[in-house]
Amino acid sequence: MKYTNSIEIALPREEVAQLLTDPAHLPKWLRGMVLHEPVTGTHGQLGTQSRVVLQSGKRQIECTETITRREPADLREIPEESVVHFDREIVGAGMWSVVRERLTEAGPETTLWESESEYRFSGLLMRLVGLLMPGAFRKQSQQHLQDFKAFAEQGKDVRDGKG
């Protein structure tokens, strides 16, 4: 299963990239974030593997995230025509996915965030979930983008329960 979500954020690309990759901000916009800790490497850097725990209803989902691409490596003073790439592979029980993030300048103070997601499932239950509920994955991904936009532009925190 593959799909792409996108959203425009009313902030410069450099600022969006820095907010997006700062681990201190993850719980503020990523619903259900319980834990995101590097096992090897430094958070957000190429090759880093992290243990990720998310709460989904009454279930906790644990997976391993590996940063597979980060360009440019330094997110300060990004060259004007550059596209920021931030890709990661996520592996959990019965699931493998890759998420490819692209940040481009949509205007002088506006950033277009495109997020391409690909999922593969193993095991009967996860295959059924992927087959019967593909829209739920796309909807959840779009919710993450909208939550990040509200956080970045207005300082809204998903933990406040108002979003």
Side-chain angles (χ1 to χ4, degrees), residues 1 4 11 34 41 45 47 57 66 70 75 83-84 99 119 123 143 152:
M1 171 175 48
T4 301
L11 289 171
V34 175
Q45 298 300 316
T66 305
R70 179 179 165 147
L75 297 176
V83 174
V84 174
V99 181
Y119 287 87
Q143 183 69 59

Side-chain angles (χ1 to χ4, degrees), residues 33-46:
M33 174 61 63
V34 175
L35 179 74
H36 193 290
E37 64 178 3
V39 177
T40 62
T42 303
H43 183 88
Q45 298 300 316
L46 185 63

Side-chain angles (χ1 to χ4, degrees), residues 34-155:
V34 175
L35 179 74
H36 193 290
E37 64 178 3
V39 177
T40 62
T42 303
H43 183 88
Q45 298 300 316
L46 185 63
T48 297
Q49 286 193 325
S50 298
R51 178 175 167 239
V52 179
V53 179
L54 299 168
Q55 187 77 36
S56 178
K58 295 180 180 177
R59 282 186 26 185
Q60 275 202 350
I61 301 161
E62 185 169 334
C63 49
T64 301
E65 173 192 78
T66 305
I67 305 301
T68 56
R69 183 177 184 187
R70 179 179 165 147
E71 294 172 9
D74 186 352
L75 297 176
R76 296 166 298 177
E77 299 180 27
I78 300 167
E80 262 187 52
E81 298 300 315
S82 293
V83 174
V84 174
H85 294 274
F86 190 70
D87 300 356
R88 54 200 196 284
E89 181 182 79
I90 302 158
V91 179
M95 182 205 78
W96 170 93
S97 76
V98 64
V99 181
R100 296 174 187 94
E101 315 286 10
R102 289 181 306 279
L103 302 176
T104 56
E105 283 185 356
E109 297 293 314
T110 308
T111 301
L112 175 63
W113 177 10
E114 294 174 290
S115 180
E116 180 187 308
S117 302
E118 179 180 348
Y119 287 87
R120 294 184 195 154
F121 303 104
S122 61
L124 183 60
L125 180 61
M126 287 306 292
R127 284 185 180 166
L128 279 173
V129 168
L131 189 63
L132 299 174
M133 301 176 56
F137 286 83
R138 179 187 292 269
K139 185 178 176 184
Q140 182 180 28
S141 296
Q142 189 64 36
Q143 183 69 59
H144 292 321
L145 270 62
Q146 290 168 338
D147 287 342
F148 178 82
K149 176 182 174 74
F151 161 70
E153 293 178 356
Q154 302 156 17

